[in-house]
C-alpha cells in the first residue's frame, strides 16, 4: 500500500465528512428554530463561518441537507430486509426491516417528531422525500421477489414492486397520522393498521 498516496485522500474525505456533518447539524438547528422555509442557505453559511459558495460545494439545496441521508437509509433498509430469515413472508420481513431502520435513527423521539413535522409541513421537502423514497422500492424488490418464490414468473417483479410500494405508502400514512397526533399514537400500531387496511 502506498501510504503517501493514500493518506492525503483519506484525510480529505474525513475532513469533507466532518464539514458535512457540521453543516447538517447547524442547518437542522436553524430549521427547527426558525422554520425550513424561513431559513436561507446564506444564514446557514454565516452560522458555520463559510461562504455561501463553499456551502454549495457540499449541498446543492436546503432539501439536500435535510434529505441527504435518505439514500443511506435506503441501503440500510435493504440490508435489514436481506438479514431477515429467508422463509419469512414479505410483509413480516418488510415490517421488521422498517422497524430496524427506525430503531437505528440517531434521534430522540422528540427530535424525530420535530424533524418529521418539519418535513410534512414543507411541500418542497415532501416532494423531494417522495422522489427519494421511490429509490427505496428499487432496492427492496430483488429480496421480495425471492420471498415470493416466483423468480421465473414474469409478473413476479411487478408483484414485488407493488408490495414494496404499498409498504412504503403504509409507512407514509402511519407517519402522517403520528405527526398529526403530536406523537401520541404508537407508530408501529399505526403502520399495522395501514397494512391491514391495504391488505383488506
Amino acid at each position: 500500500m502506498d501510504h503517501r498516496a493514500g493518506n492525503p485522500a483519506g484525510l480529505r474525505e474525513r475532513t469533507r465528512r466532518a464539514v458535512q456533518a457540521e453543516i447538517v447539524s447547524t442547518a437542522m438547528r436553524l430549521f427547527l428554530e426558525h422554520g425550513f422555509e424561513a431559513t436561507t442557505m446564506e444564514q446557514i453559511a454565516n452560522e458555520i463561518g463559510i461562504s455561501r459558495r463553499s456551502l454549495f460545494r457540499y449541498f446543492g439545496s436546503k432539501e439536500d441537507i435535510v434529505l441527504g441521508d435518505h439514500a443511506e437509509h435506503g441501503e440500510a433498509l435493504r440490508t435489514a430486509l436481506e438479514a431477515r430469515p429467508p422463509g419469512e413472508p414479505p410483509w413480516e420481513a418488510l415490517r421488521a426491516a422498517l422497524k430496524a431502520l427506525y430503531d437505528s435513527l440517531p434521534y430522540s423521539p422528540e427530535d424525530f417528531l420535530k424533524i418529521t413535522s418539519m418535513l410534512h409541513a414543507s411541500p418542497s421537502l415532501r416532494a423531494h422525500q417522495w422522489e427519494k423514497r421511490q429509490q427505496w422500492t428499487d432496492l427492496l424488490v430483488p429480496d421480495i421477489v425471492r420471498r415470493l418464490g416466483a423468480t421465473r414468473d414474469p409478473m413476479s417483479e411487478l408483484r414485488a414492486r407493488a408490495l414494496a410500494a404499498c409498504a412504503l405508502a403504509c409507512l407514509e400514512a402511519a407517519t402522517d397520522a403520528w405527526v398529526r397526533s403530536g406523537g401520541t399514537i404508537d407508530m408501529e400500531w399505526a403502520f399495522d393498521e395501514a397494512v391491514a387496511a391495504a391488505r383488506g
Side-chain angles (χ1 to χ4, degrees), residues 1 11 15 18 53 56 61 65 108 112 143-144 149 154 189:
M1 175 181 177
L11 178 60
T15 301
R53 184 176 179 179
F56 276 104
S61 67
I65 295 176
S108 67
F112 186 60
D143 186 82
I144 298 173
W189 173 82

Side-chain angles (χ1 to χ4, degrees), residues 8-198:
L11 178 60
R12 283 195 298 272
E13 181 59 25
R14 290 194 299 272
T15 301
R16 180 177 178 80
R17 288 182 181 178
V19 174
Q20 285 178 323
E22 183 181 2
I23 291 171
V24 171
S25 176
T26 301
M28 292 302 294
R29 175 173 57 79
L30 291 174
F31 292 151
L32 294 175
E33 288 176 359
H34 307 294
F36 178 78
E37 304 295 347
T39 303
T40 66
M41 292 289 273
E42 187 172 5
Q43 286 174 312
I44 297 169
N46 289 340
E47 189 77 10
I48 298 169
I50 62 176
S51 69
R52 190 169 180 271
R53 184 176 179 179
S54 294
L55 177 59
F56 276 104
R57 291 196 189 106
Y58 292 92
F59 295 98
S61 67
K62 293 189 297 181
E63 288 80 7
D64 288 340
I65 295 176
V66 178
L67 299 172
D69 57 0
H70 260 53
E72 293 178 9
H73 290 168
E75 292 290 347
L77 181 59
R78 175 172 64 177
T79 299
L81 180 63
E82 291 174 348
R84 300 302 303 169
E88 191 170 44
W91 278 111
E92 286 76 1
L94 279 166
R95 185 190 189 282
L98 287 166
K99 185 177 187 307
L101 174 63
Y102 176 76
D103 290 342
S104 72
L105 296 177
Y107 307 115
S108 67
E110 295 77 16
D111 284 345
F112 186 60
L113 178 60
K114 291 178 183 177
I115 292 168
T116 308
S117 298
M118 179 182 70
L119 280 167
H120 283 229
S122 168
S124 63
L125 278 176
R126 288 294 291 270
H128 277 72
Q129 184 184 43
W130 185 86
E131 289 176 6
K132 290 180 180 293
R133 285 277 174 90
Q134 300 312 297
Q135 299 169 8
W136 290 14
T137 300
D138 294 334
L139 295 173
L140 299 175
V141 164
D143 186 82
I144 298 173
V145 167
R146 286 193 292 272
R147 291 178 188 278
L148 291 173
T151 54
R152 290 191 175 88
D153 184 343
M155 299 301 286
S156 61
E157 182 172 339
L158 181 149
R159 297 188 188 100
R161 186 169 296 278
L163 204 158
C166 187
L168 293 177
C170 289
L171 173 65
E172 179 66 18
T175 304
D176 186 63
W178 179 68
V179 167
R180 285 189 283 105
S181 77
T184 59
I185 69 169
D186 182 75
M187 179 97 67
E188 290 183 52
W189 173 82
F191 178 76
D192 289 340
E193 286 292 305
V195 169

